[in-house]
Amino acid sequence: MMTAEQKQFVEFIQAVGRGQRSGRCLTQAEASTAMGLLLNDKVSAEQKGAFLMLLRVREETADEIAGFTEACRYTLPSALSSINVDLDIGAYAGKRRQLPWFLLAVACLVENGVTVGMHGTQEPESKRLYIEAVIKAILGKETNKVMAMTLEDIPSRLQSKGFVYANLSILHPQLYSLIQLREQFGLRSCANTLARLLNPFAAKFSLQGVHHRHVDEKHMDVAQRLMDKNTLCFRGEGGEPELDPSKDTQLLFCRDGERQNVAFVAKQQWEIKPKALEPAELKMGWKGETLHSYGENTVLASLSALLMLLDNSEYSQASKQAKHMWDTRNTKLFLGCEV
């Protein structure tokens, strides 16, 4: 026999699943309620799968994503509410064409006093290179100084190094479990979008990278609905928050509901995909031992975009500042750890 919550959820499934003539989109409030029921295990496994896959086929509206995001933020562990972070970065796509050079841009910011909370996870059966594996490869035994294994680890990492990486599994176990359902569905769900929008530390600034066309616009629509303070979203290399210097890119900003689009013009020609992604190249690039033009241009472009977000500055000014930060970096310390 179904519970009252499961009967309520049937109405949401019917709304999104009845088709073009009889179906309809959920309001932001309805979406928040529906996702709240789902995250709190008030629905059956069959209802969960049906709801997520119906939305996957139809695609979620900005109102629905905004409501889902509200529910995800509301169900975050209370321990995160007392953590102060300047910049939130979600890294969920993983890389398969190029290395995640944006991590070096982030390290420059951290060295210059910006506290960064980064989060991500790995998808089942994926052959991509994820940021967690890259941090481990660069820092080795020093990894535990910046990577949190529990919620209790986060404040000490931030206080000591100004940076913390936390897997979504400890920040929001329910949302993490939805992402892992890809192994059973064979398809992604809206959970991947929600993780990028989560901003688990309630940071003043948030950076989001997406892959598909028009998804960046939807992220801005959601940011407006949620009145997020300072958000930057763009179609990054491989879907990560990394500015590809070989592609013209629209940088989409949303500040307290007000939107602004800034055009980034490609700085170099298209780069050939390397035969293998070796994180050691990132470490050598940071140390100044060897670095090809694509890597350096990616770092400088990504860092410039971040500075535009943080300082509300023009690209020309941010670009000069980024070059100075990069040229004067401490090549012996990476994210505050010896390399």
Side-chain angles (χ1 to χ4, degrees), residues 92 123 175 178-179 182 187-197 219:
Y92 287 89
E123 290 187 10
L175 187 54
L178 294 186
I179 289 180
R182 185 181 185 182
L187 296 169
R188 288 184 175 182
S189 70
C190 60
N192 298 79
T193 296
L194 301 179
R196 288 171 167 84
L197 292 163
H219 274 238

Side-chain angles (χ1 to χ4, degrees), residues 129-148:
L129 177 63
Y130 288 95
I131 202 70
E132 183 170 327
V134 173
I135 293 174
K136 290 178 179 178
I138 294 176
L139 296 183
K141 295 180 180 179
E142 299 281 290
T143 299
N144 64 349
K145 294 183 178 180
V146 300
M147 192 171 293

Side-chain angles (χ1 to χ4, degrees), residues 65-77:
I65 291 294
F68 296 160
T69 303
E70 281 183 322
C72 289
R73 291 177 179 178
Y74 185 76
T75 50
L76 281 164

Side-chain angles (χ1 to χ4, degrees), residues 45-76:
E46 293 82 2
Q47 287 180 315
K48 180 188 297 186
F51 184 70
L52 292 174
M53 289 300 97
L54 284 169
L55 286 170
R56 173 68 171 77
V57 173
R58 191 256 279 162
E59 293 190 2
E60 305 83 6
T61 66
D63 278 335
E64 289 168 340
I65 291 294
F68 296 160
T69 303
E70 281 183 322
C72 289
R73 291 177 179 178
Y74 185 76
T75 50
L76 281 164

Side-chain angles (χ1 to χ4, degrees), residues 8-9 12 27-38 67-68 71:
Q8 181 184 13
F9 201 77
F12 299 134
T27 66
Q28 183 172 329
E30 288 175 325
S32 181
T33 299
M35 184 55 65
L37 291 171
L38 194 152
F68 296 160

Side-chain angles (χ1 to χ4, degrees), residues 104 281-290 326 329-333 339:
L104 274 58
E281 291 185 30
L282 295 171
K283 185 175 181 177
M284 290 187 292
W286 178 264
K287 296 177 71 173
E289 295 175 356
T290 177
W326 177 247
R329 70 190 185 282
N330 184 344
T331 56
K332 295 181 180 180
L333 294 177
V339 290

